[in-house]
Amino acid sequence: MCAAKTILVFGDSLSAGYGIRQDAAWPALLGKRLQDRKLDYSVVNASISGETSSGGRARIDAALAKHSPQIVIVALGANDGLRGLPLTQLRDNLGAIVASAQQRQAKVLLVGQRVPPNYGSYAEQFHMTFAEVARARKVTLVDFLLDGVATQAQLFQADNLHPTAEAQPLLLDNVWRGLAPLLK
């Protein structure tokens, strides 16, 4: 039996499960949680390691056309921040991605990101950009994907950027807090 509804996870390496088994990544765990709770959704993980908001903007329409999701989880921006992308570009790209999903009648969950504090004033402005987009597009926001994980070095792979398999349930819990109300 095929699930009646689709959740599209549209992110970067933090959602693609970089460096860990795909079935251990938080989107796969989300699929298991939905199944365990007998919620009629399937999860399509269209996340790509290294993806930026501009790359996501370029491919969102094709992903929406292919999967016809009822819910889109947008988890992009970390790579933009690490590269110091101008925040107007990040805001425009995220806004366009969310708008495309909304035009297809999908509910959207925007997942916020942070960059290290040594990025100075850019770090706080970067983080606030996600809230600005969520407010402007009237979508649900998860403040920070790595909440409860970012300060625990043991939950990161050797590169100190990508969470371990042990961190994935925590990432799922962060996303779930924003997603659960959208499932009703």
Side-chain angles (χ1 to χ4, degrees):
M1 178 175 90
C2 188
K5 301 173 218 153
T6 300
I7 297 172
L8 178 68
V9 178
F10 201 70
D12 52 30
S13 59
L14 299 174
S15 300
Y18 177 87
I20 61 174
R21 289 185 349 265
Q22 292 301 297
D23 64 350
W26 74 261
L29 299 179
L30 172 60
K32 291 177 186 144
R33 182 174 289 182
L34 292 164
Q35 185 178 28
D36 290 347
R37 295 184 182 197
K38 301 193 182 340
L39 296 169
D40 195 20
Y41 286 91
S42 63
V43 176
V44 173
N45 191 357
S47 300
I48 298 175
S49 291
E51 185 69 285
T52 61
S53 64
S54 60
R57 184 176 185 170
R59 67 186 183 91
I60 187 63
D61 288 329
L64 292 168
K66 180 176 181 180
H67 301 292
S68 300
Q70 283 66 45
I71 299 173
V72 178
I73 300 173
V74 179
L76 288 168
N79 292 313
D80 301 62
L82 293 175
R83 295 172 188 171
L85 181 80
L87 297 175
T88 54
Q89 288 180 25
L90 176 63
R91 187 178 304 109
D92 290 349
N93 290 337
L94 290 174
I97 291 166
V98 171
S100 289
Q102 289 175 321
Q103 287 166 1
R104 296 209 181 222
Q105 314 312 310
K107 296 177 188 175
V108 178
L109 176 62
L110 182 60
V111 179
Q113 302 290 350
R114 290 187 179 271
V115 292
N118 65 333
Y119 278 64
S121 64
Y122 179 87
E124 190 56 36
Q125 293 169 8
F126 171 81
H127 181 68
M128 289 185 335
T129 299
F130 294 89
E132 291 168 10
V133 171
R135 212 172 15 259
R137 298 299 318 169
K138 296 178 174 57
V139 297
T140 303
L141 174 70
V142 167
D143 185 59
F144 182 35
L145 177 64
L146 299 176
D147 188 35
V149 173
T151 58
Q152 298 187 55
Q154 74 278 12
L155 293 178
F156 285 86
Q157 298 174 42
D159 64 7
N160 292 318
L161 291 173
H162 296 97
T164 61
E166 293 74 25
Q168 299 301 308
L170 298 171
L171 302 183
L172 173 59
D173 287 344
N174 291 337
V175 171
W176 187 260
R177 281 191 282 279
L179 180 63
L182 301 180
L183 297 172
K184 296 182 169 75

